[in-house]
Structure formats: structure tokens, C-alpha cells
């Protein structure tokens, strides 16, 4: 299993500013994932963060808008840059652990609820 | 990654068994089927995972027919606290699995 701590849990930010979200895991993991969940919607994968290399972004997400750091195997940050009200959402950090092929599961942080005004 | 289709919402009453079916017609040979549960203001939580036939744990059962083109999550005797969104995911879990979420099924359990 894995325990994930995200900070901050929520924030209200002015448009045009940036917010950095931190994700700390209690064990070393190879890949960490960042998701966005807009109100009433499902989760959308933003990017995969690998230690020692650049993050891999999904279609529709770019590094300039969502820069990611992965300095070690237990920590990652996601920055939401030059925010607009459309960026208001919940941002979640996730890791996957498993034992071999079966019982691979994803663990999620509690999320960061971002409101841009 | 195989696309999944689930009912948008379901209603049930306390004490009933709830079955949520997920269609995944394009499932690949190496794909596993995983279900997650999400309560409001929380991240998703793993419920159950399977490859074929039937899997049961302390929370739920997962039924997968021989052709694996669908799967059914079965929740026995639901309570009000089972009201949540349930996501069906299909993917190759070996060597790093990118968890991609579909729309999910909103289950409402009534008293």
C-alpha cells in the first residue's frame, strides 16, 4: 500500500498567478501521476512523472502550463501556471503499487481543491 | 487502452445487492479489469481487480464472462455509505499501468 499526502488541500488564487501542489509518498515509487477532476466529472490524467526524466504529458496538457518536478522517488510537484477560472478543479496525485502482475492498484491523495477568482 | 462503457447512474435501497456492468468490447489479451470507488471530496479507492471468471474480496465480487468483453461489479447488501461513484478501468497492469478513468457510475443508495 501507499499513503499519499498532498499540500495544500485547498486554495483560492487570483487569476494570472501560479500554484505549486506538493505530493509526498511514504514509499519509493517509480511513477507518479497527476490528475485533474473538474466538478461533477471523472478524472483526467495530466501527466506521468518519472524520477530522473521529464514528465510525459497527455494530449491537451503542456509543460508550460503544468510544469512538474520529480526530484526523488517519494516526492513530486505540479504547478498550475498563469491560472484562469477554467483551471478551477481538484488536482490529485497518484501512485501505483503492486506485487507482480496481479493486485496492481493505484493510490490517490486527498486532492487539492483549487478555485481561481 | 480499451474503452469502457458504464451506466451513468443507478439507484438502490439499503440491504439490496447492486450489480454494475461495464462493457469493454476491445479488451486486449494482457488487460486486467479494475474497479475503483470514489466518495465526494476524496480520491478514488481500489475495490477489486480481475482477469477472468470470478474474483471475490471482503468488499465486492467481480464477474467476468469467458469472452471478457464485459464485467459486473457486485456489491452485496449495500448501505447508505456505499453511495459513491464507481469506475471500471481496463488496461495492461504489467510494467507500469497508466490508470485512465471513464465516466463512472454514480450509485445512490436510499434508506
Amino acid at each position: 500500500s501507499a499513503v499519499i499526502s498532498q499540500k495544500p488541500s485547498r486554495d483560492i488564487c487570483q487569476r494570472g498567478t501560479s500554484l505549486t501542489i506538493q505530493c509526498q509518498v511514504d514509499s519509493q515509487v517509480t511513477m507518479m501521476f497527476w490528475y485533474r477532476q473538474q466538478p461533477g466529472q471523472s478524472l483526467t490524467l495530466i501527466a506521468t512523472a518519472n524520477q530522473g526524466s521529464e514528465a510525459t504529458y497527455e494530449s491537451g496538457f503542456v509543460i508550460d502550463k503544468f510544469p512538474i518536478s520529480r526530484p526523488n522517488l517519494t516526492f513530486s510537484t505540479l504547478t498550475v501556471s498563469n491560472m484562469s477560472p477554467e483551471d478551477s478543479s481538484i488536482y490529485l496525485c497518484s501512485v501505483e503499487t503492486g506485487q507482480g502482475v496481479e493486485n496492481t492498484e493505484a493510490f490517490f491523495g486527498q486532492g487539492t481543491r483549487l478555485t481561481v477568482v | 487502452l480499451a474503452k469502457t462503457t458504464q451506466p451513468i447512474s443507478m439507484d438502490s435501497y439499503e440491504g439490496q445487492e447492486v450489480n454494475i456492468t461495464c462493457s469493454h468490447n476491445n479488451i486486449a489479451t494482457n488487460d486486467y479489469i479494475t474497479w475503483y470507488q470514489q466518495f465526494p471530496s476524496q480520491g478514488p479507492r481500489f475495490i477489486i481487480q480481475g482477469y477472468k471468471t470470478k474474483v471475490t474480496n471482503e468488499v465486492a465480487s467481480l464477474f467476468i464472462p469467458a469472452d471478457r468483453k464485459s464485467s459486473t461489479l457486485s456489491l452485496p447488501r449495500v448501505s447508505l455509505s456505499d453511495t459513491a461513484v464507481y469506475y471500471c478501468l481496463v488496461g495492461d497492469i504489467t510494467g507500469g499501468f497508466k490508470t485512465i478513468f471513464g465516466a463512472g457510475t454514480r450509485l445512490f443508495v436510499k434508506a
Side-chain angles (χ1 to χ4, degrees):
Chain A
S1 67
V3 177
I4 300 174
S5 300
Q6 262 186 256
K7 292 181 182 179
S9 58
R10 59 177 61 227
D11 207 342
I12 301 173
C13 301
Q14 295 289 326
R15 67 179 68 199
T17 63
S18 297
L19 174 73
T20 295
I21 303 167
Q22 299 180 2
C23 178
Q24 180 75 52
V25 190
D26 68 343
S27 57
Q28 293 185 339
V29 292
T30 304
M31 291 191 289
M32 297 177 76
F33 304 89
W34 287 98
Y35 289 83
R36 181 174 72 184
Q37 186 171 30
Q38 295 177 311
Q41 303 296 313
S42 181
L43 287 79
T44 301
L45 181 63
I46 297 173
T48 303
N50 298 313
Q51 196 268 334
S53 64
E54 266 196 18
T56 304
Y57 289 83
E58 298 298 308
S59 175
F61 298 95
V62 295
I63 187 171
D64 289 345
K65 177 67 176 177
F66 298 101
I68 288 171
S69 78
R70 183 78 200 276
N72 57 53
L73 292 173
T74 64
F75 187 79
S76 178
T77 67
L78 170 77
T79 298
V80 186
S81 303
N82 188 25
M83 289 184 285
S84 67
E86 291 71 34
D87 295 319
S88 297
S89 189
I90 297 173
Y91 293 85
L92 297 110
C93 170
S94 171
V95 302
E96 289 178 354
T97 65
Q99 297 178 4
V101 173
E102 295 185 8
N103 299 317
T104 296
E105 62 178 277
F107 294 88
F108 290 82
Q110 292 293 316
T112 296
R113 183 179 294 273
L114 170 62
T115 303
V116 184
V117 297
Chain B
L1 294 168
K3 179 180 167 63
T4 59
T5 304
Q6 305 173 234
I8 295 175
S9 66
M10 295 181 68
D11 288 346
S12 182
Y13 289 91
E14 283 190 292
Q16 289 187 332
E17 178 185 80
V18 171
N19 296 308
I20 306 174
T21 297
C22 178
S23 297
H24 27 81
N25 291 319
N26 297 323
I27 190 169
T29 303
N30 292 335
D31 286 346
Y32 276 67
I33 301 155
T34 311
W35 286 80
Y36 285 84
Q37 174 192 56
Q38 186 179 27
F39 297 113
S41 301
Q42 294 186 25
R45 183 180 70 128
F46 174 93
I47 300 176
I48 198 165
Q49 185 177 82
Y51 184 79
K52 62 180 179 181
T53 62
K54 177 183 174 182
V55 180
T56 298
N57 61 22
E58 64 277 6
V59 176
S61 294
L62 179 59
F63 298 92
I64 306 169
D67 66 5
R68 304 203 322 125
K69 293 184 182 299
S70 67
S71 59
T72 299
L73 175 72
S74 180
L75 305 172
R77 294 184 298 281
V78 295
S79 64
L80 296 176
S81 61
D82 292 316
T83 294
V85 179
Y86 292 82
Y87 295 99
C88 165
L89 289 78
V90 173
D92 185 352
I93 64 174
T94 60
F97 175 35
K98 220 166 40 171
T99 305
I100 303 295
F101 286 81
T105 298
R106 293 182 180 273
L107 173 65
F108 298 94
V109 180
K110 307 172 187 176

